[in-house]
């Protein structure tokens, strides 16, 4: 899961992307999602929920890209979002029928039949250009640079959207995409809906004292990759919204990710461990997780308190973040945790 993170750095990005080429991810099964009126609904797993009214783009528009360029969008009939997060935004705005391709990280059902224009973390300029896009939506990490330059050189507008680092980025990302597509009012509506749903979930968080400490572990057993998230991993905002403490950051880990050691885990002393579902599967489930050196010595390992979230949406910080937060809260405060 590269997760995709526009927040995951350097070598980790390559590992995440490689994993995504072989792993499909589902949405949080059975997670209750607050509706716009504050009630709860249970959406179908691994699907996005478009706005009720499909907006009509009012174009052309000129917007400023996160990379500092001015981008003019004349048409939005053929769109290529280069991340799962950006794809979710476009589909949820109600413009999914205009999307002609997807990144490997767009794993939700409505995007499933679209051609893939990335290989691992790398964008194929030839594949993108063959689809004659009117607009390419990219993350700051989309690359390689040569491929992005080739797309621009062909005259295709490329909008780079600011990174998803936390809950505060949800609204700005939605509105940046909506503005570029000529549907700013729909962007504002989706932002309101998403923020209301997130607020409804945070209102259910128990006021537990002391707050539970949660460590975010990135695991890929097949590649012998075992990392603990620190400040900047991208998970801190989600952990805090769930009423918990980011154990890695609190223990002084300044890097985004650090190789797991017994010493680091003991110092972090997590009460619960947050993982991606495919990562947990790759180490043999909870039984395999507690065999990783140091895990069994933590409160989380002793209690087998593990919170797992589908790879494809954990760190998206977008229209489905309320579902992610619901999943985390339900598992984190369940009796005995998820085992």
């Amino acid at each position: 899961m590269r997760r995709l993170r526009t927040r995951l750095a350097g070598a980790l990005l390559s590992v995440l992307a490689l994993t995504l080429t072989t792993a499909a991810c589902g949405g949080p099964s059975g997670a209750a999602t607050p509706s716009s009126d504050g009630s709860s609904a249970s959406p179908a797993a691994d699907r996005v929920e478009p706005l009720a009214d499909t907006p009509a783009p009012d174009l052309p528009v000129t917007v400023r890209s996160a990379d500092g360029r001015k981008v003019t969008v004349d048409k939005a009939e053929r769109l290529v979002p280069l991340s799962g997060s950006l794809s979710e935004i476009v589909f949820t705005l109600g413009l999914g029928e205009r999307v002609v391709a997807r990144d490997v990280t767009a794993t939700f059902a409505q995007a499933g039949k679209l051609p893939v224009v990335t290989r691992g973390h790398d964008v194929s300029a030839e594949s993108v250009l063959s689809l004659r896009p009117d607009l390419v939506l990219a993350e700051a990490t989309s690359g390689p640079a040569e491929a992005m330059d080739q797309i621009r050189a062909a005259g295709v507008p490329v909008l780079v959207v600011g990174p998803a680092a936390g809950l505060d980025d949800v609204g700005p990302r939605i509105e940046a995409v909506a503005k570029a597509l000529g549907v700013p009012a729909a962007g504002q509506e989706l932002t309101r809906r998403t923020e209301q749903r997130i607020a409804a979930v945070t209102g259910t968080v128990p006021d537990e004292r002391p707050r539970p400490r949660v460590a975010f572990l990135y695991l890929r057993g097949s590649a012998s990759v075992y990392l603990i998230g620190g400040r900047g991993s991208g998970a801190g905002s989600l952990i805090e919204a769930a009423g918990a403490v980011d154990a890695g950051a609190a223990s002084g880990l300044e890097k985004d990710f650090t190789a797991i050691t017994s010493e680091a885990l003991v110092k972090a002393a997590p009460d619960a461990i947050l993982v991606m579902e495919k990562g947990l599967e790759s180490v043999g489930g909870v039984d395999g997780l507690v065999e990783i050196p140091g895990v069994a010595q933590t409160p989380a390992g002793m209690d087998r308190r593990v919170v797992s979230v589908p790879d494809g949406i954990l760190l998206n910080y977008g229209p489905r973040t309320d579902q992610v937060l619901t999943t985390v809260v339900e598992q984190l405060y369940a009796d005995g945790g998820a085992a």
Side-chain angles (χ1 to χ4, degrees):
M1 274 355 300
R2 166 166 57 143
R3 260 329 188 199
L4 286 171
R5 248 42 286 145
T6 54
R7 298 294 304 157
L8 300 182
L12 178 59
L13 276 169
S14 300
V15 176
L16 295 175
L18 178 61
T19 302
L20 268 171
T21 62
T22 58
C25 309
S29 58
T33 303
S35 64
S36 57
D37 64 2
S39 61
S40 293
S42 294
D46 202 20
R47 296 185 65 86
V48 299
E49 180 190 349
L51 293 174
D53 298 320
T54 301
D58 183 10
L59 299 171
V61 297
T62 298
V63 295
R64 187 168 293 278
S65 177
D67 60 1
R69 294 180 171 92
K70 284 188 177 180
V71 177
T72 297
V73 182
D74 294 310
K75 294 193 302 179
E77 300 298 324
R78 301 180 64 82
L79 307 173
V80 177
L82 293 178
S83 76
S85 177
L86 295 174
S87 294
E88 283 190 14
I89 293 173
V90 176
F91 272 83
T92 311
L93 285 169
L95 301 176
E97 291 185 357
R98 298 168 183 257
V99 177
V100 296
R102 67 181 178 93
D103 170 68
V104 292
T105 63
T107 58
F108 55 93
Q110 293 101 316
K113 294 183 179 180
L114 292 170
V116 176
V117 292
T118 52
R119 184 177 181 181
H121 185 52
D122 290 339
V123 176
S124 168
E126 293 78 10
S127 296
V128 171
L129 293 174
S130 71
L131 294 165
R132 299 173 288 107
D134 300 319
L135 175 66
V136 170
L137 298 162
E139 302 282 2
T141 54
S142 296
E146 294 80 2
M148 303 308 296
D149 290 342
Q150 186 177 343
I151 293 169
R152 291 188 180 95
V156 178
V158 176
L159 178 79
V160 177
V161 181
L167 290 175
D168 289 343
D169 299 315
V170 172
R173 280 171 62 85
I174 291 172
E175 293 185 6
V177 172
K179 187 175 180 181
L181 296 179
V183 292
Q188 293 168 3
E189 179 184 351
L190 180 55
T191 295
R192 283 194 298 271
R193 188 185 85 175
T194 305
E195 291 178 345
Q196 286 171 357
R197 290 180 173 188
I198 291 171
V201 179
T202 57
T204 69
V205 175
D207 186 18
E208 191 169 292
R209 290 292 184 271
R211 292 193 295 161
R213 295 171 63 89
V214 177
F216 175 38
L217 303 188
Y218 179 79
L219 310 169
R220 284 299 179 261
S222 58
S224 298
V225 175
Y226 310 103
L227 306 172
I228 180 171
R231 206 175 309 277
S233 72
S237 180
L238 184 67
I239 291 170
E240 291 170 5
V245 174
D246 184 339
S251 68
L253 296 177
E254 296 294 331
K255 296 172 62 177
D256 288 358
F257 288 88
T258 302
I260 289 175
T261 63
S262 297
E263 293 77 12
L265 283 171
V266 169
K267 186 175 182 181
D271 299 301
I273 290 172
L274 172 65
V275 293
M276 297 177 183
E277 283 185 354
K278 294 296 181 183
L280 186 60
E281 291 175 12
S282 77
V283 298
V286 176
D287 288 340
L289 175 62
V290 296
E291 294 298 320
I292 295 174
V295 171
Q297 286 70 51
T298 66
M302 294 179 205
D303 294 336
R304 297 169 64 87
R305 196 175 182 188
V306 179
V307 176
S308 65
V309 178
D311 303 39
I313 61 173
L314 175 58
L315 298 178
N316 269 1
Y317 292 115
R320 292 199 287 174
T321 294
D322 64 293
Q323 296 181 37
V324 177
L325 187 55
T326 295
T327 299
V328 172
V329 170
E330 288 179 346
Q331 294 183 56
L332 180 60
Y333 297 100
D335 291 340

